Amino acid sequence: MKQWRKAGIIIFWLLLWELFAGLVNNSFLLVGPIESVKALSRLLQKQEFYGILWKSSWVILSAYLLSFLLALILSYLSYRNSLLEDFLKPGVFVLRSLPVASFIIILLFFLGRDKLSFIISVFMSFPIFYINLLEGFHKTDHKLLEMAEVFHFSLYRRLRYIHLPAVYPLLLGAAKLAMGLSWKSGIAAELIGQVGKSIGYQLMEAKVSLEMADVFAWSIVIIALSQCWEILVILLIKGLCRKGCA
């Protein structure tokens, strides 16, 4: 029943999109889902399409992984050392608050175009992971930590059996938010930085040539990639945490 409800909601929004596109009746401004799918099918037949997907995906996903690892290490160290937590707080606040476009323009002066998307994705994803992981560490049951001290638990056993259950719910939410933001910020960096053979560059070219159907087709690709990788990452986290907590 739940799956049918989801399908019905998606169909409703697609019909509304098609209706609105018909009312606008101007393909230079807006195209419907049918034209977008046709444009996507044309893209799928091009050999360079898959190279573009690979390049953007590799950069954004590697940035996503690095941001998680950095946040995991620094959040645990901040949890153990309040001075480090206070020291990092202003930087994390700036990363959270600064608009993506401003960040891209600032870094564009100091970085090469090919590195821009990677750095932006790291900086945008890091605060989400860091804040949630740090909160999870702070929510760890202190009685369990005292017990671990009495029984001389190793750092590994503390992380696995005590900290992991506390961090797990917040990690899931952070992983979802960070994945979407990684793709949005990474593609935006490719577009503004005009990184060749990237999804962002293809969006810019489609816009300049007034190929609105291609703009929507590439947008569908971005949404699909973000959603697919989010599902895979969540399944991976659930699997690892299930084994880790066992």
Side-chain angles (χ1 to χ4, degrees):
M1 181 63 71
K2 193 174 181 179
Q3 298 298 328
W4 283 108
R5 184 172 65 181
K6 287 182 178 180
I9 292 171
I10 293 172
I11 291 171
F12 169 79
W13 285 110
L14 289 174
L15 290 174
L16 189 63
W17 176 12
E18 184 66 36
L19 176 62
F20 191 62
L23 291 174
V24 173
N25 196 26
N26 189 334
S27 60
F28 290 111
L29 296 177
L30 181 66
V31 296
I34 295 175
E35 289 300 318
S36 300
V37 170
K38 288 180 180 178
L40 179 58
S41 66
R42 290 195 296 269
L43 291 176
L44 291 170
Q45 296 173 22
K46 296 180 179 179
Q47 188 68 31
E48 62 269 21
F49 173 79
Y50 301 96
I52 292 168
L53 289 193
W54 168 252
K55 180 179 180 180
S56 293
S57 297
W58 170 254
V59 171
I60 292 170
L61 293 172
S62 57
Y64 179 85
L65 177 60
L66 178 60
S67 66
F68 166 71
L69 293 175
L70 286 174
L72 179 62
I73 295 169
L74 290 176
S75 61
Y76 182 73
L77 293 177
S78 296
Y79 161 71
R80 300 287 295 177
N81 189 323
S82 60
L83 176 61
L84 178 61
E85 181 179 350
D86 292 338
F87 181 78
L88 292 176
K89 193 172 292 183
V92 174
F93 176 78
V94 170
L95 291 178
R96 284 182 60 197
S97 306
L98 193 65
V100 176
S102 300
F103 215 167
I104 294 170
I105 292 170
I106 292 169
L107 291 181
L108 192 57
F109 288 100
F110 302 98
L111 300 173
R113 292 179 178 179
D114 290 334
K115 299 177 182 178
L116 185 63
S117 178
F118 178 83
I119 300 298
I120 289 294
S121 294
V122 171
F123 282 172
M124 291 295 102
S125 302
F126 171 79
I128 298 175
F129 279 122
Y130 175 82
I131 292 169
N132 283 274
L133 289 170
L134 181 59
E135 185 178 348
F137 283 126
H138 280 306
K139 285 186 175 181
T140 304
D141 191 332
H142 290 285
K143 292 182 179 179
L144 291 177
L145 291 174
E146 290 175 1
M147 180 199 70
E149 189 71 28
V150 171
F151 288 97
H152 304 290
F153 273 33
S154 65
L155 175 60
Y156 170 75
R157 294 182 71 189
R158 291 186 189 191
L159 289 172
R160 177 175 177 177
Y161 296 112
I162 300 176
H163 288 298
L164 183 57
V167 168
Y168 173 66
L170 292 161
L171 176 58
L172 281 181
K176 292 178 181 179
L177 289 172
M179 180 61 76
L181 188 56
S182 291
W183 279 95
K184 287 193 289 187
S185 59
I187 298 301
E190 291 176 348
L191 192 152
I192 297 175
Q194 298 183 22
V195 180
K197 295 183 179 180
S198 67
I199 295 176
Y201 189 80
Q202 301 307 309
L203 273 172
M204 184 192 68
E205 279 200 330
K207 178 182 177 298
V208 170
S209 59
L210 300 178
E211 293 290 346
M212 192 56 65
D214 285 357
V215 171
F216 277 89
W218 280 109
S219 299
I220 292 171
V221 169
I222 296 167
I223 294 170
L225 287 172
S226 177
Q227 186 64 32
C228 288
W229 281 108
E230 178 185 308
I231 292 171
L232 289 173
V233 167
I234 294 303
L235 289 175
L236 178 62
I237 291 173
K238 287 181 177 180
L240 290 175
C241 288
R242 197 176 295 117
K243 289 181 179 179
C245 295

